[in-house]
Amino acid sequence: MSPALLSLRDVTKSYPRGGLIDRVLKGTKPFVALDNVSLDIHRGDVVGIVGESGSGKSTLASLAVGLIAPTAGDILLDGENLAELMRDHAGPWRRRIQMAFQDSSSALNPRKTVELCLTETLALRGVAREGRRQEAHELLALVGLGAELAPRLPHELSGGQRQRVGLARALAMRPDVLFADEPVSALDVSLQAQVVNLLARLTRELGLTLVFISHDLALVRTLCSRLIVMRNGAIVEQGACRDVLDNPQHDYTRLLIAAVPKGLAGRRVGPPASSAGASILERKSPDPKKSIFASRRLAERI
Ligand SMILES: Nc1ncnc2c1ncn2[C@@H]1O[C@H](COP(=O)(O)OP(=O)(O)OP(=O)(O)O)[C@@H](O)[C@H]1O
Ligand SMILES: [Mg+2]
């Protein structure tokens, strides 16, 4: 097997608890948000991360993209250490690993229009000034948004539109690895299908390596080849997505699967992956002209 694109080696992230007095006099232990996690992500992997709220999923993503520093352990990109890369020159790392954020309202600068947000990102990637506007509009089309949204500020968008602008901004960097932190949680079912469809195509056709954090096991089954189950800051189970979902080895994974409401058409976890996947991927997007393939040129460039 080829060497991992992104590796976490015994990574721990802890936060101080209580005030200075508590810590010094009472010896209050820090809160461990991520506990000694090791993990390899290979080129082309589509990895799902599931786990209850507070289990450390976003913490893991924030560490991997370099937003926060680990308390202990190493994070490696193509064998190079994040800590050293950040010290010397953070730019390439930031470009190669992107994150579409869970909270779309705080992820976008409230004073920047959609177009400015995208063109600034394209400028960071080195796209020439005259090509930025056009590519920004192509990126919007790629995530199923019309060019009429380009002059708007974030507060003039719906939650789902904001989330897709965040995704477009992450894709603007043409990352090697995209961490999508609950990228469809604010979308209605048809838009969820559109974005999941988009992500599936990006991974399949462009070889994008994707880490998809979600509470929705049906979507995870549709999209992901590998699955990581987290609890209390640790990985409790991982493996091929279908194996883990169809034959969970850990009690906690069984609990998570059992907690999915039954009887919601097309969304119940349990049927073979092929049928669950097909139902979502084959669903038509609201406007097929704005689908990823309307933006073929961009897709070829990413
Ligand atoms: N800056 C911080 N200071 C202290 N504790 C933090 C900080 N950031 C996160 N935590 C704690 O770390 C734990 C893991 O948080 P994290 O955001 O990674 O959870 P999550 O799995 O993404 O949850 P959710 O599914 O709700 O998004 C939580 O208990 C959270 O309160
Ligand atoms: Mg989270």
Side-chain angles (χ1 to χ4, degrees), residues 34 62 65 105 108 110 117 121 123 134 146 150-151 168 181 201 204-205 254 263-264 281-282 289 294:
L34 203 69
S62 302
V65 300
S105 52
L108 300 173
C117 156
T121 309
Q134 164 83 13
D181 194 354
R201 286 204 195 284
R204 208 169 45 231
E205 300 188 357
R254 287 190 203 107
L264 296 176
L281 289 176
E282 282 167 18
K289 286 201 197 88

Side-chain angles (χ1 to χ4, degrees), residues 124-229:
L124 280 177
R125 204 189 78 213
V127 175
R129 182 182 294 274
E130 55 278 12
R132 288 178 206 156
R133 193 159 177 267
Q134 164 83 13
E135 192 165 337
H137 289 202
E138 286 174 347
L139 281 161
L140 287 177
L142 188 70
V143 295
L145 296 174
E148 70 278 5
L149 297 190
R152 294 209 201 156
L153 291 167
H155 77 268
E156 297 167 328
L157 303 172
S158 74
Q161 288 168 337
R162 270 198 301 269
Q163 218 161 10
R164 282 183 289 163
V165 171
L167 191 57
R169 182 179 59 179
L171 292 172
M173 279 296 198
R174 289 190 206 159
D176 290 342
V177 188
L178 174 66
F179 277 79
D181 194 354
E182 303 194 24
V184 295
S185 56
L187 306 181
D188 68 53
V189 174
S190 70
L191 290 179
Q192 281 192 359
Q194 197 184 350
V195 173
V196 169
N197 201 353
L198 164 71
L199 290 173
R201 286 204 195 284
L202 289 170
T203 57
R204 208 169 45 231
E205 300 188 357
L206 312 176
L208 177 73
T209 305
L210 176 70
V211 181
F212 183 75
I213 298 173
S214 179
H215 287 280
D216 190 326
L217 296 184
L219 289 184
V220 165
R221 178 192 279 276
T222 298
L223 194 60
C224 302
S225 49
R226 272 179 63 202
L227 183 60
I228 290 171
V229 182

Side-chain angles (χ1 to χ4, degrees), residues 13-17 31-34 49-62 68 102 181-182 213-215 230-233:
K13 178 69 187 175
S14 52
Y15 293 104
R17 230 194 308 225
F31 171 76
V32 181
L34 203 69
I49 302 185
V50 298
E52 67 199 357
S53 186
S55 55
K57 306 180 296 296
S58 297
T59 303
L60 191 155
S62 302
I68 54 175
Q102 180 170 12
D181 194 354
E182 303 194 24
I213 298 173
S214 179
H215 287 280
M230 292 188 65
R231 186 188 200 190
N232 294 340

